[in-house]
Amino acid sequence: MHTYQFVPLQFNEMQPQQMLENSLEFYKSIQCRRTVRDFSDRHVPIEIIENCVRAAGTAPNGANLQPWHFSIVTDPSIKSQIRQGAEIEEREFYNGKAPQEWLDALAPLGTDEHKPFLEIAPYLIVIFSKTHDELPDGKTVKHYYPAESVGIATGMLITALHQSGLATLTHTPSPMKFLNQILDRPKFERPFLILVAGYPADDAKVPNITKKPLDEIATYH
Ligand code: IYR
C-alpha cells in the first residue's frame, strides 16, 4: 500500500465582498451559456481546447483514478464518420425507438435526426468514462464513481469552454458504441457524450427557455 505525501493547501482567501462580487459575476456569465445547435466552421486554436480539457482533468473524482478519456476530433473524415454513425442511431430514435412521451418532451426544442453540426463545428470532444484501467502487464485497476466523476469533469469542460468564449452542444446519440470503433478506443471505455465546440453561426438561434428560480431548486435546512 502507498500513501501520498501531504503538502500545505494553496488556498486563495478572498475578502467577503470580493467573494460576493465573484459569485455574482460568475452567475451572470454562466447564465449566458446556451446549448447551441448552429455552429460556424470558423477556426479555433487548439491550445484553447487543450487548456479547457486540462481544466476538466482537474475535476474531483473517485480515488483520484481519473476515469476519463477525451478524444479531440478535428479530422473532417473522422467527423463525417461520427455524423454518419450518430445519424443512423438518431434516425431510429426519432422514428420509432423513442417512447412518445420522450418525443413529446423534445418536440418544443425542434431537435431531429439531422446532425450537420457534427461536421461543421471545428471540434468534437468525445468524452469516455472508464470503469477500470488496464495496465501494460494485463492487471486491471477498478475505478470508483466513474459516472459521477465524468459528469463533473464534463460540467467543468463546458464551463471552461464557455469562459473561453466558445459555444457548446452536449450531444448524446444512443447507443454510442460506434464511437469506440471510429476513435479506436478500448471496449472498457464507455462513450459518455459528444461535446461539440466552436463559434456559433452568425444566425444561430436558441429556444426562448427559462431556468427555474432558486426557490424552486433549493431548500434550506
Ligand atoms: N439524442 C437525441 C435526442 C435528445 C435527447 C434529449 I433528453 C435532449 O435534451 C436533446 C436531444 C438528439 O441529440 O437529438
Side-chain angles (χ1 to χ4, degrees), residues 37 90 93-94 102 106 109 111-112 115 170-174:
R37 289 190 166 77
E90 296 292 79
F93 176 87
Y94 284 98
W102 193 346
L106 289 175
L109 296 169
T111 57
D112 61 24
K115 307 296 177 191
T170 45
H171 178 46
T172 51
S174 172

Side-chain angles (χ1 to χ4, degrees), residues 163-178:
Q163 291 301 102
S164 306
L166 292 171
T168 57
L169 166 64
T170 45
H171 178 46
T172 51
S174 172
M176 289 195 275
K177 267 287 163 204
F178 67 92

Side-chain angles (χ1 to χ4, degrees), residues 3 6 27 55 92 109 113 167 172:
T3 51
F6 278 70
Y27 169 54
E92 285 192 27
L109 296 169
E113 68 266 40
T172 51

Side-chain angles (χ1 to χ4, degrees), residues 44-220:
V44 172
I46 194 159
E47 291 78 10
I48 298 171
I49 303 297
E50 288 174 338
N51 284 335
C52 294
V53 173
R54 284 189 180 100
T58 69
N61 66 91
N64 197 39
L65 294 167
Q66 303 166 63
W68 41 60
H69 178 83
F70 301 89
S71 291
I72 302 170
V73 181
T74 55
D75 183 324
S77 73
I78 298 181
K79 286 200 252 176
S80 161
Q81 289 175 55
I82 292 177
R83 177 178 179 183
Q84 281 172 39
E87 288 186 339
I88 289 170
E89 302 300 349
E90 296 292 79
R91 220 169 287 130
E92 285 192 27
F93 176 87
Y94 284 98
N95 296 301
K97 207 169 111 189
Q100 194 55 44
E101 191 180 16
W102 193 346
L103 294 176
D104 290 346
L106 289 175
L109 296 169
T111 57
D112 61 24
E113 68 266 40
H114 303 292
K115 307 296 177 191
F117 50 75
L118 293 173
E119 288 189 273
I120 296 169
Y123 291 96
L124 307 179
I125 308 171
V126 182
I127 302 152
F128 291 87
S129 158
K130 298 160 66 167
T131 52
H132 63 275
D133 254 330
E134 281 184 13
L135 304 180
D137 64 5
K139 287 207 183 93
T140 64
V141 180
K142 186 178 160 38
H143 289 165
Y144 304 96
Y145 299 104
E148 292 82 351
S149 304
V150 174
I152 296 167
T154 301
M156 290 173 62
L157 179 56
I158 293 167
T159 307
L161 290 162
H162 174 73
Q163 291 301 102
S164 306
L166 292 171
T168 57
L169 166 64
T170 45
H171 178 46
T172 51
S174 172
M176 289 195 275
K177 267 287 163 204
F178 67 92
L179 292 165
N180 287 67
Q181 194 237 319
I182 296 172
L183 298 168
D184 198 21
R185 299 308 306 169
K187 62 177 183 312
F188 60 89
E189 293 188 3
R190 186 184 315 182
F192 183 70
L193 57 78
I194 303 173
L195 194 63
V196 185
Y199 288 102
D202 288 338
D203 58 354
K205 287 209 168 56
V206 291
N208 190 15
I209 56 172
T210 55
K211 299 292 179 184
K212 293 177 183 172
L214 183 63
D215 64 3
E216 272 185 45
I217 62 170
T219 52
Y220 301 82

